[in-house]
Amino acid sequence: YMQQTQITDIKALKETQERAREEIDRLELQNDRLKQSVEELSETVGKLEDVEQALDAITEVQGQSVDTFTKQVEENKQILAKLEENHKCLVLQNIISVIYRCDLDGDGDIEDTEVDALLTSIKGINGVQVEEGKFRSAIRGSGGGISAVLDIVKNLLSDEADEDSIFNIA
């Protein structure tokens, strides 16, 4: 009976390892996609800066009013803010996906054994910083239900990073 239990435990560990490998492969693909998004955002920022410089030159040459130029700069700031918000949404979507995939037994709860895999996966998302101690405490304090874990992730939606933040997007 003991040997059979050990064989069953080994099979379960192999299955868990296989799932972890699949998750790592999937996260690597997502990480590559996020890197590409960051590169695209960087290119867009660079283009917006070029536009701003071109507008400066045009303003000098044509004598446009400062008000018109200011309005154009504000529009560019709004575009940049939307791009940053889109990036934040992509990161949030990836974290939510990771949360559901790390519930290995599918019971709707993130147990202590699943928290390590969850943290590793979240740390693998490009541009995400997580306060591990605060995250673990928040999960324990919430009972570990997926809906409670999703509530913890809500602080990403806040534009203000404070000392209580668990997640930060770099």
Side-chain angles (χ1 to χ4, degrees):
Y1 175 74
M2 183 68 148
Q3 288 177 342
Q4 190 174 16
T5 303
Q6 289 176 340
I7 290 172
T8 303
D9 289 345
I10 289 171
K11 285 181 183 179
L13 285 172
K14 285 182 179 181
E15 288 177 20
T16 301
Q17 182 181 12
E18 177 76 27
R19 286 187 193 145
R21 282 189 183 138
E22 290 172 0
E23 181 66 14
I24 288 169
D25 291 343
R26 191 189 62 72
L27 284 172
E28 286 176 352
L29 290 174
Q30 286 183 348
N31 198 20
D32 290 341
R33 192 178 91 224
L34 281 173
K35 284 179 184 176
Q36 182 180 2
S37 293
V38 168
E39 289 172 8
E40 289 172 4
L41 286 173
S42 296
E43 289 175 15
T44 302
V45 168
K47 289 176 184 177
L48 287 173
E49 290 172 349
D50 291 343
V51 168
E52 184 177 18
Q53 290 173 356
L55 290 174
D56 281 338
I58 290 171
T59 300
E60 289 176 18
V61 172
Q62 295 182 349
Q64 289 181 340
S65 72
V66 174
D67 291 336
T68 302
F69 178 70
T70 302
K71 183 178 178 182
Q72 291 170 339
V73 168
E74 289 302 316
E75 288 174 4
N76 286 338
K77 286 181 182 178
Q78 290 173 356
I79 290 169
L80 181 59
K82 287 179 183 177
L83 288 171
E84 289 172 349
E85 185 65 25
N86 285 340
H87 179 252
K88 186 185 283 189
C89 288
L90 278 172
V91 168
L92 186 61
Q93 179 183 4
N94 284 335
I95 289 175
I96 290 170
S97 176
V98 164
I99 290 169
Y100 280 103
R101 284 195 173 89
C102 283
D103 182 18
L104 298 175
D105 56 10
D107 65 352
D109 290 323
I110 302 295
E111 287 86 17
D112 288 338
T113 57
E114 296 168 327
V115 171
D116 290 332
L118 178 58
L119 276 167
T120 300
S121 297
I122 290 173
K123 288 177 183 178
I125 297 173
N126 190 31
V128 176
Q129 298 170 344
V130 61
E131 294 290 333
E132 189 173 324
K134 290 179 184 178
F135 185 71
R136 287 179 187 278
S137 295
I139 288 179
R140 274 190 226 108
S142 69
I146 285 186
S147 61
V149 175
L150 293 174
D151 286 340
I152 293 167
V153 175
K154 275 197 307 191
N155 89 343
L156 271 176
L157 298 174
S158 171
D159 288 334
E160 298 175 12
D162 61 22
E163 59 200 39
D164 293 331
S165 293
I166 295 173
F167 298 98
N168 289 305
I169 298 177

